[in-house]
Amino acid sequence: MIVAGFGCRAGASAAALQAALDAALVTVRARRPGLPGPDVLAAPLDRLAMLEPLADALGARLVGVDEVALRGQHTPTRSLRILAVRGCGSVAEAAALATAGPLSRLLVARHISPDRSATCALAQGSQT
């Protein structure tokens, strides 16, 4: 299972979310050609509705991640601002890892949309 985890500002556009996902996929596919698109899109519960159009377009399942699950994830990215606000180093990385399950691993750390309003990280796991 491939999980795309997202972090975003409240005003992030659908184009910004798509751009962050596209950048993450380009990076991971350079290392793993043929890797499929995400099976699941994950984001904090308060940002979930923003991802509905993208999930529908991709035919991916949408999963909300609560604050406790985000705080429980160790992420390679350590944003001090996000640590203070959300309790994790990267919302995108934490959402991807929490959703992919306990034996998951990041395929690619967060990628930032050109307008800096959205991030996306990809994880692989065995949970459904």
Side-chain angles (χ1 to χ4, degrees):
M1 172 180 70
I2 305 296
V3 177
F6 288 87
C8 59
R9 294 186 177 148
S13 68
L17 294 164
Q18 182 73 58
L21 174 61
D22 290 346
L25 286 170
V26 165
T27 298
V28 77
R29 286 178 176 155
R31 288 182 257 157
R32 293 181 60 184
L35 185 80
D39 303 296
V40 177
L41 304 186
L45 291 169
D46 63 340
R47 298 291 192 254
L48 204 56
M50 297 171 67
L51 286 168
E52 286 177 4
L54 183 57
D56 289 345
L58 296 172
R61 190 164 51 100
L62 192 55
V63 173
V65 183
D66 67 33
E67 295 295 320
V68 173
L70 289 174
R71 278 189 233 113
Q73 299 301 316
H74 173 74
T75 62
T77 302
R78 304 290 292 171
S79 166
L80 295 178
R81 184 179 70 79
I82 297 302
L83 272 168
V85 174
R86 294 281 192 170
C88 59
S90 164
V91 173
E93 292 169 9
L97 289 167
T99 303
L103 300 177
S104 64
R105 65 183 181 89
L106 275 181
L107 296 173
V108 65
R110 71 177 176 139
H111 278 65
I112 305 170
S113 64
D115 70 358
R116 304 192 61 77
S117 68
T119 59
C120 179
L122 300 173
Q124 185 169 29
S126 59
Q127 272 191 304
T128 54

